[in-house]
Amino acid sequence: MPRALVTGPTAGIGHSFAVQLAERGHDLVLVARDEQRLAQVADELRDRFGVDVEVLAADLADRDQLVRVEQRLADRSAPVDLLVNNAGFGLKGRFLDNDVAAETAMLDVLVTAVVRLMHAALGPMVERGHGQVLNVSSVAAFLPRGSYSAAKAYVNKLGEWAAAEYAPHGVTVTTLCPGFVRTEFHERMQVGQDSAPDFLWLDADDLVRTALADLEQGKVYSIPSARYKVITGAARLVPRGVLQRFQSLGRK
């Protein structure tokens, strides 16, 4: 059976990835901070789908704990065929309203962990001549929305480059750019679902289904729904000063 490693699988988009991959017959390695919730999700997936599920409790903002996840990805004896870099969080306040330690922790999870886990996974994948990486970015990457936007823009450019670099070696790299999704993500930021117009909200299961289809087709970007394709396209044309006026969207 193919094996997938998913970060942040205990809720939201990450949980949907874990469920849908298990449903497709993937064995799983699940990575998150909360060991109890990890165990619950693992039991659920084993019972429902009969797949093998490993759990690896790790805080990706902690470099020592991150190394353990890298080592698992680099293990040639039990290879990982698909890496889903999904773990992440956002900060409600603007840059100077946030503690710099919180800003740095966010950068560690959104950028440093993605880079290091990709590096650990790609080596064995290139050696085998096949593999897949799916990085969860954001539509925010196309917009001027502070340090979160900047971090996701880095993920976009890294994924875009890696897709071209490693395609000749049989490795697919797809970058998923969701918009607003009904998950715990915004609850943790303490913002309500009235913080953005209703038509902008997406369903996590539909989003993941589309992302996995785009990954199988070898697409460089997966941008869900026609409305977000229009938004990301328009963002390339609209002056930055105009876009900046909307940076509070989703933070109320």
Side-chain angles (χ1 to χ4, degrees):
M1 285 188 179
R3 181 181 289 107
L5 186 147
V6 183
T7 66
T10 56
I13 294 173
H15 183 262
S16 187
F17 269 119
V19 170
Q20 292 192 39
L21 288 169
E23 189 175 23
R24 294 173 179 219
H26 284 68
D27 289 333
L28 296 170
V29 182
L30 304 181
V31 180
R33 292 181 300 172
D34 190 327
E35 194 164 5
Q36 183 176 357
R37 290 184 74 180
L38 268 179
Q40 291 172 350
V41 172
D43 288 342
E44 168 203 346
L45 298 176
R46 292 187 193 106
D47 291 344
R48 286 181 63 185
F49 304 110
V51 295
D52 182 67
V53 184
E54 302 172 47
V55 295
L56 184 52
D59 181 350
L60 299 183
D62 183 304
R63 193 61 58 87
D64 292 334
Q65 296 182 46
L66 178 60
V67 166
R68 293 194 286 109
V69 187
E70 294 175 74
Q71 291 171 339
R72 178 61 189 86
L73 285 165
D75 184 355
R76 269 74 169 174
S77 66
V80 171
D81 302 284
L82 166 60
L83 166 63
V84 180
N85 267 319
N86 165 77
F89 65 93
L91 301 172
K92 182 179 181 180
R94 294 193 179 186
F95 187 66
L96 291 180
D97 297 326
N98 297 323
D99 183 85
V100 71
E103 287 281 348
T104 303
M106 184 177 71
L107 190 66
D108 285 339
V109 174
L110 299 186
V111 174
T112 303
V114 170
V115 171
R116 293 183 68 106
L117 296 185
M118 276 185 65
H119 193 277
L122 284 170
M125 289 179 182
V126 168
E127 288 176 9
R128 295 194 305 272
H130 65 86
Q132 297 173 313
V133 176
L134 197 155
N135 293 325
V136 179
S137 181
S138 173
V139 165
F142 299 93
L143 306 168
R145 289 176 60 86
S147 53
Y148 180 84
S149 171
K152 291 301 189 180
Y154 182 100
V155 173
N156 278 20
K157 288 302 181 183
L158 178 68
E160 189 175 320
W161 162 81
E165 180 78 3
Y166 296 107
H169 301 278
V171 179
T172 299
V173 180
T174 296
T175 302
L176 168 62
C177 296
F180 295 103
V181 186
R182 291 185 173 89
T183 68
E184 290 183 4
F185 180 90
H186 286 88
E187 292 174 16
R188 290 171 182 164
M189 289 177 65
Q190 298 180 327
V191 296
Q193 300 220 349
D194 60 348
S195 59
D198 188 64
F199 75 93
L200 289 178
W201 291 93
L202 302 172
D203 176 77
D205 292 338
D206 292 341
L207 169 81
V208 167
R209 197 171 295 111
T210 299
L212 291 175
D214 288 343
L215 177 68
E216 289 302 319
Q217 293 173 32
K219 291 186 179 181
V220 175
Y221 282 104
S222 178
I223 299 175
S225 82
R227 54 195 178 277
Y228 278 110
K229 287 182 173 67
V230 169
I231 289 170
T232 55
R236 298 181 176 95
L237 304 174
V238 175
R240 288 287 163 179
V242 175
L243 291 175
Q244 195 119 13
R245 298 174 191 173
F246 298 97
Q247 65 173 300
S248 62
L249 191 67
R251 288 177 170 158
K252 297 177 184 177

